[in-house]
Amino acid sequence: EEFIPISEEDGSILKIGECVFEKVCRFLKTSSLSLLGIKYIEVNLSVVQCMENNLVQKLKRIMNTYNINPSEINLEITETAAANRVEMLNNNVIELNKLGIEFSLDDYGTGYSNMNYMLELPFKIVKIDKNIFWTALKDERAMVALESTIAMIKKLNLEIVVEGVETEKQLQKVKELECNYVQGNYFSRPLPRAEFKEYVINFNKRKQ
């Protein structure tokens, strides 16, 4: 909440974003994640990156360097960025989608909620912000609003991720809401690459 706004303001987010994307592509290339059942990795794009006029060329170059299929990447765009919907952002999203990259709308419900960009931009997944979910667990009216939001997103044939799942009770509620995916510390806190791979291997063993 502090680091990203500062790096966006001073422009360093462009270097950081490029470095993160390259590390993801290198990880995909060297870790054989597809054999472990990982279809893609989600990578956040900041507001500033979305407006970059050479974004498509930059990401395409990095994917080519590591021989990454664009379908192995899903780019997350925050609701704040999508709400700005300037021409450059629209063009970048459309061109990257043509390459085969899919998109998630991140932090949905944080104050910029607008159905227009869900209709006009090629999102595959909508991620419900954790604070919306947590509020709904405590407030009946907020739960009604959340249930209506989920029903609308489903009717648009978009997949839903609920963020902020940290307890068994919260997980059961997401199952009741019939969302596609959950995200949160109930499963694991963020992990370094090697530990993440080991976690997935052990998870697959438990399933068997």
Side-chain angles (χ1 to χ4, degrees):
E1 295 176 354
E2 296 180 14
F3 170 73
I4 296 297
I6 292 172
S7 59
E8 286 182 334
E9 185 175 343
D10 68 11
S12 60
I13 192 66
L14 297 177
K15 290 276 189 180
I16 294 169
E18 184 175 353
C19 177
V20 168
F21 190 79
E22 183 165 1
K23 285 181 178 292
V24 168
C25 289
R26 187 186 308 149
F27 185 44
L28 282 165
K29 178 68 175 178
T30 59
S31 301
S32 303
L33 294 182
S34 61
L35 299 178
L36 300 177
I38 303 296
K39 296 180 180 179
Y40 58 83
I41 291 183
E42 294 192 349
V43 185
N44 290 88
L45 282 185
S46 75
V47 176
V48 177
Q49 284 178 283
C50 289
M51 310 304 177
E52 206 175 359
N53 59 14
N54 64 339
L55 177 67
V56 176
Q57 293 78 10
K58 183 183 294 185
L59 300 189
K60 186 176 180 181
R61 173 183 56 78
I62 295 172
M63 287 188 293
N64 288 340
T65 298
Y66 293 95
N67 195 28
I68 299 300
N69 189 314
S71 65
E72 296 178 87
I73 300 292
N74 181 296
L75 294 176
E76 292 188 14
I77 296 179
T78 64
E79 199 175 47
T80 307
N84 287 316
R85 276 204 299 106
V86 296
E87 185 177 358
M88 182 56 68
L89 181 147
N90 286 10
N91 291 341
N92 282 337
V93 171
I94 291 170
E95 290 304 311
L96 288 168
N97 187 244
K98 286 179 181 178
L99 292 178
I101 290 176
E102 294 184 329
F103 285 83
S104 296
L105 178 60
D106 197 16
D107 298 336
Y108 186 77
T110 53
Y112 294 87
S113 301
N114 187 322
M115 195 167 59
N116 285 340
Y117 47 73
M118 280 201 290
L119 297 174
E120 296 176 10
L121 295 175
F123 291 112
K124 178 185 178 182
I125 297 171
V126 176
K127 304 184 74 173
I128 307 262
D129 184 73
K130 63 183 179 183
N131 291 311
I132 301 301
F133 177 54
W134 290 346
T135 300
L137 294 174
K138 298 180 293 184
D139 184 273
E140 185 175 341
R141 295 179 66 187
M143 180 58 73
V144 170
L146 176 61
E147 291 172 345
S148 298
T149 298
I150 289 171
M152 176 194 71
I153 294 170
K154 286 182 178 179
K155 286 186 177 181
L156 293 173
N157 293 318
L158 299 171
E159 296 178 348
I160 302 171
V161 176
V162 176
E163 301 175 336
V165 176
E166 298 186 349
T167 67
E168 177 69 27
K169 184 177 179 180
Q170 291 174 345
L171 177 62
Q172 291 305 316
K173 188 60 186 180
V174 174
K175 290 180 178 179
E176 291 174 18
L177 293 169
E178 298 182 345
C179 297
N180 303 93
Y181 306 104
V182 295
Q183 174 181 317
N185 291 342
Y186 175 79
F187 298 99
S188 175
R189 293 187 177 276
L191 297 172
R193 286 169 290 180
E195 291 181 34
F196 168 76
K197 186 175 179 180
E198 186 66 25
Y199 177 90
V200 175
I201 291 171
N202 292 332
F203 181 80
N204 287 336
K205 288 179 179 177
R206 292 197 300 270
K207 286 201 304 181
Q208 295 171 358

